[in-house]
Amino acid sequence: MREIELKFQIPAAARDRVQRAVATKTARVLPLAAAYADTADERLARAGFALRLRREGTRWVQTLKGRGDGLMDRLEHEIELPDTDAAPVLDPARHAGTPAGDALARLLADGAPLVERYRTEIVRVARRVRSGAAVVEIALDEGRIVAGERSAAVCEIEFELLSGPPSGLLALAAQWVARHGLWLDVRTKAERGTRLARGLERVPALHAEPMRLPPRPTTTQAFGAMLQSALQQVLPNAAELASGSGDAETLHQLRVGLRRLRSALRVFAPWAPDEAAARALEQALAEPFAALGAARDADVAAAGLLAELAAAGAPPLAWPRAADAAAPAELLAGAGFTTLMLRTMALALVALQTPGAALEPAAAALLAPAWRRARADARRFARLDAAQRHRLRKRLKRLRYAIEFLQPVLRPRRTRAALKALRRALEALGEANDRSVARQTLAARAAADPADPALAFALGWLAGRDEALLARAAAALAPLDEVRRFWR
């Protein structure tokens, strides 16, 4: 069995309004008290499983949830137990014969005992609605997660598909986002509970995972899988930042995920079920990406450049920040960003269900001219001006992500060589670009305050490093000429 749902956090200003919208005459109120179990070494959580025993009103239900697509689809197996006053004994064998249950049995094959790790105390208000051909349950959950002496408040709304197409679920959720300003949170209660049990305030940023393609994929299905792959990196990092628990690396990995997403939408737009929709979505993502980039540029400067300047003997320098720039948390918890993510999920869903052309010849037809242009640009790098070098860097980034997306259908050894050459080139170009952006930022500040000695020192120091950085970039680009054909 699979569970298909979306979960959102509710802005404080909208909570009363959301409560009224859910608590209609047909809504039902259900107290939910659950205990989540794991081994002492948390092997279930590390494998992406959650095992719980929950009292739902007057009935007991044992549930096993497995890792899904990280977006809205998860494995789930539920067993309703006989009604008793005392809590039944949790028994993993109740899930035997299911994919998730068999995986659970392998995890517990050595007889490791299960212990309660955390519990949830929730009051759920739920009602069912129709959305097109779909039936969806809307559930408002309020309460807390408890782990020992620690607890965390819960106030979130879930949209679960009971029947019909997932497109109906996405359409309904988009309406509620527009009406109430909800923001998408792919972190489950189990993930939050595990973090609470460990006493963690922050978790590491999520990096991109290797691309997975469906069996015998067409171009259109591959396009849908690319969007999903990018979202699997974007959404968890965005949720961490929106909730205020992310850091500079979380922001960096979010921007990497957004760049991968925009690259897929731009490079592979002809493979989309609706090319115009793909191109419009890519353009719409440019605004939040740029806004997050301003914050990222400030982080890069604070983490690296200021330390180098101080080591070179520079006077203390406060890095300038745009006074009107929105904080990442504010942007990512906004309805506009969540709406873009739902549009992306809807486009991916259609693509995965749409036939297309054969993938391997289409990949070769796309990569061959792109690689020829990259090599040609690398040869004439010394003659490019700053704007042309910046455009080259962006093209090479898109090419790198395109190759990574298509890696399952390319020649493995040669593809690894191509990616290695590209990453080295992009590292050198990235350093040169970071310094160029820093110079532009400081030059604008110096124009307003020309007497500041720290600014004058920094601009002079940066100018003195230009030639060496460009020479390093040219040397890093040269190996692109030696890469052999890696497409089939």
Side-chain angles (χ1 to χ4, degrees):
M1 181 179 176
R2 306 198 73 85
E3 174 189 55
I4 299 177
E5 70 175 18
L6 291 170
K7 180 168 66 69
F8 298 86
Q9 297 298 329
I10 307 167
R15 287 182 180 176
D16 289 345
R17 190 166 66 249
V18 170
Q19 287 169 344
R20 290 194 298 270
V22 177
T24 62
K25 291 181 180 179
T26 60
R28 71 186 194 281
V29 179
L30 191 64
L32 305 173
Y36 287 74
D38 203 340
T39 58
D41 58 4
E42 295 183 335
R43 65 184 67 175
L44 271 63
R46 288 187 281 110
F49 285 95
L51 180 63
R52 77 178 180 218
L53 184 65
R54 187 163 75 179
R55 183 72 164 175
E56 301 181 355
T58 60
R59 69 175 191 154
W60 289 99
V61 178
Q62 181 175 306
T63 304
L64 174 63
K65 295 193 179 189
R67 193 189 305 277
D69 63 8
L71 306 177
M72 63 178 184
D73 190 342
R74 293 188 72 190
L75 284 172
E76 181 184 64
H77 184 245
E78 285 191 344
I79 297 289
E80 185 169 355
L81 305 177
D83 187 15
T84 58
D85 291 333
V89 175
L90 188 71
D91 183 2
R94 293 188 177 111
H95 305 289
T98 68
D102 293 344
L104 176 65
R106 290 191 292 272
L107 287 171
L108 301 175
D110 64 353
L114 292 168
V115 295
E116 181 181 318
R117 295 287 293 156
Y118 52 91
R119 65 184 188 276
T120 57
E121 301 166 356
I122 302 292
V123 175
R124 169 169 290 177
V125 181
R127 68 185 181 98
R128 295 183 178 187
V129 300
R130 282 200 168 273
S131 176
V135 176
V136 179
E137 181 179 77
I138 305 174
L140 174 63
D141 285 353
E142 296 183 274
R144 63 176 186 158
I145 305 170
V146 180
E149 299 297 318
R150 294 184 288 269
S151 67
V154 173
C155 182
E156 58 194 29
I157 188 166
E158 298 178 356
F159 297 78
E160 182 177 358
L161 183 67
L162 301 180
S163 65
S167 57
L169 169 67
L170 288 165
L172 179 66
Q175 294 171 12
W176 281 67
V177 167
R179 192 176 303 140
H180 301 295
L182 312 176
W183 59 269
L184 184 61
D185 189 353
V186 295
R187 303 169 303 172
T188 64
K189 291 184 182 71
E191 289 174 287
R192 292 184 63 194
T194 298
R195 184 183 308 189
L196 193 66
R198 294 175 181 171
L200 296 177
E201 294 184 6
R202 287 198 170 111
V203 295
L206 191 70
H207 293 239
E209 294 287 338
M211 177 71 180
R212 294 179 181 178
L213 290 173
R216 297 183 179 180
T218 66
T219 51
T220 311
Q221 291 166 338
F223 174 79
M226 292 173 194
L227 300 191
Q228 283 198 333
S229 176
L231 286 171
Q232 286 162 355
Q233 182 181 15
V234 168
L235 294 180
N237 288 315
E240 292 297 334
L241 290 162
S243 67
S245 59
D247 57 18
E249 180 61 14
T250 314
L251 177 58
H252 173 56
Q253 291 303 322
L254 169 62
R255 291 195 74 235
V256 170
L258 286 172
R259 194 179 291 112
R260 293 174 65 227
L261 177 56
R262 293 185 66 201
S263 295
L265 289 164
R266 180 166 178 170
V267 175
F268 299 101
W271 296 4
D274 184 337
E275 182 174 349
R279 295 194 184 280
L281 182 55
E282 191 275 329
Q283 286 298 311
L285 286 164
E287 183 177 347
F289 182 78
L292 293 168
R296 171 64 181 165
D297 291 340
D299 286 335
V300 168
L305 180 56
L306 293 181
E308 290 187 59
L309 286 169
L317 174 65
W319 192 260
R321 290 178 180 265
D324 59 347
E330 180 182 344
L331 186 153
L332 298 167
F337 183 80
T338 292
T339 299
L340 290 175
M341 296 299 98
L342 293 177
R343 283 174 58 187
T344 306
M345 294 170 74
L347 183 60
L349 186 66
V350 174
L352 287 168
Q353 298 170 346
T354 303
L359 181 57
E360 286 192 11
L366 185 147
L367 291 174
W371 192 259
R372 283 197 298 270
R373 182 176 184 184
R375 291 194 301 185
D377 286 341
R379 293 188 195 109
R380 63 188 187 96
F381 177 76
R383 301 192 298 276
L384 302 181
D385 60 27
Q388 291 170 326
R389 291 195 297 269
H390 183 56
R391 286 195 293 272
L392 168 61
R393 177 172 174 259
K394 291 198 293 185
R395 282 199 302 273
L396 291 183
K397 279 191 174 184
R398 287 194 294 269
L399 179 56
R400 169 194 165 180
Y401 295 134
I403 294 170
E404 289 177 343
F405 282 133
L406 293 170
Q407 198 165 355
V409 296
L410 303 178
R411 298 181 179 185
R413 184 176 298 178
R414 294 184 185 182
T415 300
R416 288 193 294 270
L419 287 172
K420 182 178 180 180
L422 272 175
R423 286 169 184 147
R424 287 182 174 176
L426 284 167
E427 180 182 354
L429 288 170
E431 184 178 6
N433 180 74
D434 287 344
R435 297 307 161 85
S436 175
V437 170
R439 285 184 67 184
Q440 294 171 22
T441 302
L442 293 175
R445 171 85 171 269
D449 188 7
D452 188 332
L455 290 171
F457 185 103
L459 287 168
W461 185 86
L462 285 167
R465 290 179 57 82
D466 268 358
E467 187 175 339
L469 286 173
L470 293 177
R472 179 173 176 260
L477 284 163
L480 296 183
D481 236 357
E482 303 169 8
V483 174
R484 299 169 65 190
R485 169 178 170 158
F486 51 87
W487 51 90
R488 297 184 190 278

